[in-house]
């Protein structure tokens, strides 16, 4: 094994030629061919050689005598610079495995490849092939064939002769039609056709009875053949990124599937929410559809968002009111001190988030579920819950107050926020208070908003394109070259991780927000503008290409169950599982069929049902307006409003009132409240201690609070339970700040080594993320001390610090870091401390599929020196195994200082990388 060295040649080959009994030789990851031919002719004297690995070199040719290696069974020449298929290879009659992948200029295979009769494995990924010779079809022993990343448009006519073929990879080619020859391969177990141009699948696909893996993602497939349900051996089915609306009847029979991907399809039957839950839920849906009639109920989520004074409330009322709307608007304006056309101040204070139904077209039964989001940052921690795919978003701008310098906080920020949570979101821009603007002013402001949106989108897209180009350039280099210099982009990152990163960037580029039109001017006093906006919303909602989910098909029993949960008499905040089961029986659903119906209603945002939570799964939270009222209470920053709620009981004496006042002060400063005060705040929503405990469990599940003094094994013995709401914390934690900068409390530098993982967010830091993350990690830490932007705690006996640093300028990103420290021999304890915290953060970030962020491991040497800009190593290294034999990595700062590899790579690559999304 001579791999991973710096060999540029082998001299005359004499040193190797004397090893007459050599059976295996690895020369991979060297620099052979960088100077001269690279391989001497005497290599052919190794007559007993069975395996030869020449991968990841710079070979442009192979020795003529290579064909004399009569016993050679495995040859690996991938990632070299071969300009054509080497002729000597055709003489290797014993060859069973051949890998020529990554030789980008190979271009074509010779007809003579048929001479390799014993070949079982042939890998030709990324070799520039535009066609395959008929001679390939004579390789009757072939079992595995990799042809991905080429330019193939068809397969040879005789391709079906490869009767022993078990694995075929044709991903990333130019196939416009499904190759019929594949259907003649009875032994095929794995078939990869991702990233082609397929529109149809053949009805006879079921002939591939041995098929276990079928990847068809990112094509143009509109429907699946009914026969696909007969592929009973299927274990992996990947269909994401197509145009599939309906799954075949009986699709739930594919019960052996464990890997299932279907997102980014316009699914209506089953609905998207059912499909995303997996095959068992699809089976339950289809069985239910067979039991009851299908029901088509046009219902769409409409979300109003914008700044606090944008005019969302008045716009909503104007849209939803009937003929009496003028009087309502007039009365609103008459009681307001605001300018005419502007909603009264009293409408915005304390309202928070509101939800209601709006029957926009009674004739067609089209209903909007309208969510009006607060424009106040106090509600950031909960508002993102209400941003979901398949909704129509109305971004509201106050045109009378708008100035071009305020574009980003008024418009740009909301587009970044929405785009990171809901990629490809559909956005309608509405400018309110149009009656307060002169005609020319109105036109100029609408044009400016339109122009600045286009500029922001262009900048973002160009930034992502630049990142794609950087990844392509890195992929164009040898892996060894990327590892040779710490200055190299993506230093040490594997090709696999780079390809994942590129796929992530392409996804972000292909799923930009859909901004439907220039700004629509709107005034509640102009009936024509009100009618025009209503018509616009209806026409967009009914556009099948934009909102296919509007036409989703549900079993009648599921629709009846939904209606029963929302009937007027069901006004309690939640139902027990058994109460819900009784409603299910009224809808014709037995208990065993209820779970899938509730799961759909949860995924589609109609109610909350946490089927995997030990306590909450016994309840169904069906009354969303009342639940939102509760959430609004804990986003309220006005001490007066909170005190009014607490002092509403007339029997409270002065001493008690003073105590409650102190509780409110502590809440607004430190985020702390005892359970009995929370109960007072939530009157009349909760009536008993059990109700309170359930609500607190729900708030903790949603990431709003955690119990500070929750016992590990026994009750609190009457002591008050205190809850921390991190979004309210205002105090700083100075000692944590000193610790993270590499000094202890006395200001002396640490002797121990520091680990620090840093997440950077160039576009936007998800609103409320730090507060929710603070709750999520509570089960992992002890002895914690919280600041507004920091958490100082312990994992066992190992200290950890979580720090959030807001951007200090437009060119700087927000950052969130997770740090620990230990002596070098015990550095594994620091990895053990931070790994669960990193994994929790990655789980949270998966709720933001359109978010661009980077992860880095900070150089411990730089941290030790207190460097303000420490060197960073790519975060992708966290998910890669530590290279064998590697003990140190170079830090290019401060004279190429060497860093122990244990400070960059975790002991085992268990940390989830951002690419894994």
């Amino acid at each position: 094994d001579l791999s991973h060295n710096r060999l540029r040649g082998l001299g005359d080959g004499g040193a190797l030629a004397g090893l007459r009994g050599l059976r295996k030789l690895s020369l991979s990851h060297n620099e052979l061919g960088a100077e001269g031919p690279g391989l001497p002719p005497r290599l052919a004297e190794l007559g007993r050689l069975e395996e030869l690995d020449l991968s990841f070199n710079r070979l442009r040719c192979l020795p003529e005598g290579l064909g004399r290696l009569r016993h050679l069974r495995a040859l690996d020449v991938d990632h070299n610079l071969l300009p054509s298929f080497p002729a000597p290879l055709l003489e290797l009659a014993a060859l069973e495995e051949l890998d020529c992948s990554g030789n980008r200029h190979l271009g074509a295979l010779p007809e003579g490849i048929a001479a390799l009769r014993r070949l079982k494995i042939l890998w030709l990924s990324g070799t520039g092939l535009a066609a395959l010779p008929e001679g390939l079809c004579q390789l009757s022993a072939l079992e595995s064939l990799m042809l991905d990343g080429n330019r193939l448009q068809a397969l040879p006519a005789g391709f079906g002769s490869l009767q022993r073929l078990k694995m075929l990879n044709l991903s990333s080619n130019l196939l416009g039609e499904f190759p019929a020859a594949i259907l003649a391969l009875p032994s095929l177990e794995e078939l990869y056709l991702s990233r082609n141009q397929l529109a149809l699948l053949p009805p006879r696909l079921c002939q591939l009875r041995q098929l276990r893996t079928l990847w068809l993602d990112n094509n143009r497939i509109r429907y699946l053949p009914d026969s696909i349900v007969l592929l009973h051996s299927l274990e992996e089915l990947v269909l994401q990124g197509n145009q599939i609306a309906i799954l075949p009847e009986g699709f739930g029979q594919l019960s052996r599937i464990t890997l299932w991907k279907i997102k980014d399809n316009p699914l209506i039957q089953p609905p998207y929410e059912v499909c995303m839950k997996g095959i068992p839920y699809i089976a339950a849906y289809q069985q239910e559809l067979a039991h009851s009639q299908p029901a088509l109920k046009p219902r769409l989520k409409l979300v109003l968002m914008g700044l606090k004074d944008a005019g969302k409330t008045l716009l909503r009322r104007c849209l939803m009111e009937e003929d009496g709307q003028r009087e309502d608007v007039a009365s609103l304006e008459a009681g307001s001190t605001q300018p005419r056309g502007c909603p009264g101040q009293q409408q915005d204070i304390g309202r928070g988030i509101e939800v209601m139904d709006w029957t926009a077209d009674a004739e067609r039964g089209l209903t909007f579920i309208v969510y009006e989001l607060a424009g106040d940052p106090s509600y950031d921690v909960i508002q993102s819950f209400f941003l979901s795919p398949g909704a129509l978003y109305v971004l509201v701008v106050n045109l009378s107050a708008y100035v071009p310098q305020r574009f980003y906080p008024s418009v740009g920020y909301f587009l970044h926020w929405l785009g990171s949570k809901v990629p490809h979101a559909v956005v309608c821009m509405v400018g309110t208070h149009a009656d307060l603007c002169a005609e020319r002013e109105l036109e100029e402001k609408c044009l400016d908003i339109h122009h600045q949106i286009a500029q922001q989108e262009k900048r973002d897209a160009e930034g992502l394109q630049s990142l794609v180009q950087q990844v392509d350039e890195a992929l164009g280099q040898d892996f060894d070259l990327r590892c040779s210099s710490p200055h190299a982009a993506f230093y040490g990152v594997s090709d696999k991780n780079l390809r994942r990163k590129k796929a992530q960037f392409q996804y972000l580029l292909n799923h930009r927000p859909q901004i439907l039109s220039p700004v629509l001017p709107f005034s509640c006093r102009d009936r024509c503008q009100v009618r025009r906006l209503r018509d616009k919303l209806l026409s967009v909602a009914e556009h099948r290409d934009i909102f296919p989910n509007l036409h989703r098909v549900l079993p009648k029993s599921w629709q009846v169950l939904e209606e029963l949960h929302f009937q007027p008499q069901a006004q309690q905040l939640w139902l027990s599982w058994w109460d819900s089961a009784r409603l299910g029986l009224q809808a014709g659903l037995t208990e065993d069929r209820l779970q899938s119906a509730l799961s759909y209603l949860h995924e589609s945002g109609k109610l909350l049902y946490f089927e995997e939570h030990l306590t909450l799964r016994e309840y169904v939270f069906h009354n969303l307006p009342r639940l939102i009222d509760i959430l609004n209470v804990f986003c309220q920053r006005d001490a007066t409003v909170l005190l009014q709620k607490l002092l509403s009981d007339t029997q409270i004496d002065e001493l008690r009132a003073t105590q409650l006042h102190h509780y409110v002060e502590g809440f607004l400063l430190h985020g702390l409240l005892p359970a009995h005060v929370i109960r007072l705040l939530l009157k009349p929503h909760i009536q008993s201690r059990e109700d309170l405990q359930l609500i607190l469990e729900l708030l903790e599940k949603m990431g709003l609070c955690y119990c500070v003094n929750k016992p590990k094994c026994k009750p609190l013995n009457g002591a008050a339970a205190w809850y921390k709401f991190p979004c309210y914390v205002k105090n700083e934690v100075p000692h944590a700040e000193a610790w993270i900068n590499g000094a202890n409390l006395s200001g002396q530098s640490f002797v121990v080594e520091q680990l620090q993982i840093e997440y950077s967010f160039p576009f936007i830091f998800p609103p409320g993320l730090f507060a929710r993350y603070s709750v999520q990690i509570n089960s992992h830490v002890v002895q914690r001390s919280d600041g507004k932007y920091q958490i100082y705690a312990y994992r066992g006996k190992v200290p950890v610090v979580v720090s959030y640093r807001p951007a200090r300028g437009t060119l700087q990103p927000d950052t969130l870091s997770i740090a620990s420290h230990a002596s070098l021999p015990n550095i594994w304890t620091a990895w053990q401390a931070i790994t669960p915290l990193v994994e929790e953060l990655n789980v949270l970030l998966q709720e933001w599929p359109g978010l661009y962020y980077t992860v880095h491991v900070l150089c411990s040497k730089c941290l030790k020196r207190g460097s303000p800009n420490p060197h960073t190593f790519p975060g992708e290294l966290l998910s890669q195994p530590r290279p064998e034999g590697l003990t140190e990595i170079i830090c290019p700062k401060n004279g190429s200082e060497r860093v122990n590899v244990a400070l960059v790579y975790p002991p085992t690559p268990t940390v989830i990388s951002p690419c894994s999304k």
Side-chain angles (χ1 to χ4, degrees), residues 110 182 210 254 267 757 795 842 893:
I182 292 177
Q210 304 299 319
L254 299 174
L267 294 156
I757 313 297
R795 280 265 302 151
N842 281 315
K893 295 195 175 183

Side-chain angles (χ1 to χ4, degrees), residues 512-581:
R512 306 305 303 156
Q514 303 175 77
I515 300 164
L516 296 176
S517 64
V519 183
L520 291 173
F522 179 88
S523 167
C524 284
R525 291 186 166 274
D526 189 328
R527 295 295 296 274
C528 292
Q529 288 183 345
V530 174
R531 195 176 301 114
R532 183 179 65 170
L533 179 56
R534 186 182 295 163
D535 291 345
K536 175 73 174 178
L537 297 177
L538 286 172
S539 67
V540 171
E542 293 184 318
H543 198 297
R544 282 184 177 265
D545 290 338
I546 299 176
F547 288 112
N549 59 331
L550 182 68
H551 306 277
R552 68 186 76 188
V553 178
L554 292 179
K556 183 71 174 176
S557 54
W558 287 17
Q559 183 182 321
V560 172
L561 180 71
E562 179 185 345
E563 291 168 354
L564 288 171
H565 274 84
F566 302 127
Q567 59 191 357
Q569 58 266 36
Q571 285 303 304
Q572 60 265 54
L573 184 54
W574 57 75
L575 299 172
S576 71
W577 164 264
W578 296 111
D579 290 336
S580 189

Side-chain angles (χ1 to χ4, degrees), residues 412-711:
Y413 167 81
F414 289 96
L415 293 177
H416 274 161
W417 173 33
L418 181 57
S420 58
K421 188 71 165 67
V422 186
H424 221 44
V426 182
V427 185
C428 182
M429 296 293 308
V430 176
T432 56
H433 309 94
D435 56 321
L436 300 180
C437 299
E439 187 175 343
R440 184 182 179 86
E441 178 193 6
L442 187 67
E443 183 180 347
E444 287 177 351
K445 288 185 173 183
C446 290
L447 282 174
D448 179 78
I449 293 171
H450 184 61
H451 176 65
Q452 291 210 54
I453 288 174
Q455 280 189 321
Q456 177 170 296
E457 276 298 297
K458 183 182 178 184
R459 279 195 307 271
D460 293 352
E462 286 176 349
L464 290 170
Q465 287 283 12
S466 174
L467 292 168
V468 170
Q469 187 177 346
Q470 290 176 30
V471 174
D472 279 336
E473 289 171 359
L475 282 168
Q477 300 172 334
D478 287 341
F479 178 68
D480 285 352
L481 189 60
R482 283 204 301 280
C483 295
S484 63
S485 169
H487 295 282
F490 307 110
Y491 172 56
V493 179
S494 68
D495 283 5
K496 182 179 180 181
N497 266 337
L498 282 178
R499 284 193 290 270
R500 284 178 173 175
K501 201 169 188 69
K502 181 179 176 179
Q504 179 195 6
F505 293 150
Q506 291 288 6
Y507 176 82
L508 296 179
L509 275 169
N510 295 336
H511 291 79
R512 306 305 303 156
Q514 303 175 77
I515 300 164
L516 296 176
S517 64
V519 183
L520 291 173
F522 179 88
S523 167
C524 284
R525 291 186 166 274
D526 189 328
R527 295 295 296 274
C528 292
Q529 288 183 345
V530 174
R531 195 176 301 114
R532 183 179 65 170
L533 179 56
R534 186 182 295 163
D535 291 345
K536 175 73 174 178
L537 297 177
L538 286 172
S539 67
V540 171
E542 293 184 318
H543 198 297
R544 282 184 177 265
D545 290 338
I546 299 176
F547 288 112
N549 59 331
L550 182 68
H551 306 277
R552 68 186 76 188
V553 178
L554 292 179
K556 183 71 174 176
S557 54
W558 287 17
Q559 183 182 321
V560 172
L561 180 71
E562 179 185 345
E563 291 168 354
L564 288 171
H565 274 84
F566 302 127
Q567 59 191 357
Q569 58 266 36
Q571 285 303 304
Q572 60 265 54
L573 184 54
W574 57 75
L575 299 172
S576 71
W577 164 264
W578 296 111
D579 290 336
S580 189
R582 280 190 282 274
L583 294 178
L585 289 173
Q586 292 181 46
L589 286 165
T590 53
E591 186 184 330
D592 59 317
R593 289 152 52 204
L594 177 65
Q595 179 115 347
S596 53
L598 289 175
S599 175
Y600 163 74
L601 293 174
H602 171 87
E603 294 296 331
S604 58
K606 309 293 174 39
L607 49 73
L608 294 182
Y609 171 60
F610 300 99
E611 57 187 300
E612 295 177 0
H613 193 280
L614 193 61
T615 305
L616 298 178
R617 67 186 178 192
E618 299 298 325
Y619 301 89
V620 177
F621 297 89
H622 65 298
N623 196 332
L624 286 188
R626 286 189 66 191
L627 182 60
I628 289 171
D629 286 344
I630 287 176
L631 296 179
N632 284 334
V633 168
F634 296 109
C635 294
Q636 177 57 254
R637 305 277 172 150
D638 191 323
T640 306
V641 174
L642 291 171
L643 282 169
Q644 282 176 353
K645 287 180 175 292
L646 293 174
L647 301 175
S648 57
D649 191 338
T650 55
Q651 298 182 3
I652 292 179
D653 58 32
E654 187 176 344
L655 181 63
R656 178 69 170 150
T658 303
Q659 189 180 31
L660 290 175
H661 186 81
H662 286 312
Y663 280 137
V664 168
E665 285 182 344
F667 179 50
L668 295 178
L669 184 62
H670 304 292
L672 279 170
L673 273 181
H676 67 275
V677 176
I678 294 175
R679 183 173 176 179
L680 286 176
L681 279 174
L682 295 182
K683 279 186 176 182
H685 297 295
I686 57 175
Q687 305 297 329
S688 66
R689 181 177 296 180
E690 290 73 21
D691 290 352
L692 174 64
Q693 195 55 44
L694 187 61
I695 282 295
L696 290 170
E697 289 262 11
L698 179 62
L699 295 177
E700 193 163 348
K701 168 73 177 172
M702 298 179 76
L704 268 71
C705 67
Y706 63 88
C707 185
V708 174
N709 54 344
K710 182 183 287 186

Side-chain angles (χ1 to χ4, degrees), residues 290 301 336 387 390 512 605 690 837:
K301 184 174 177 179
S336 170
L387 305 182
R512 306 305 303 156
E690 290 73 21
L837 308 189

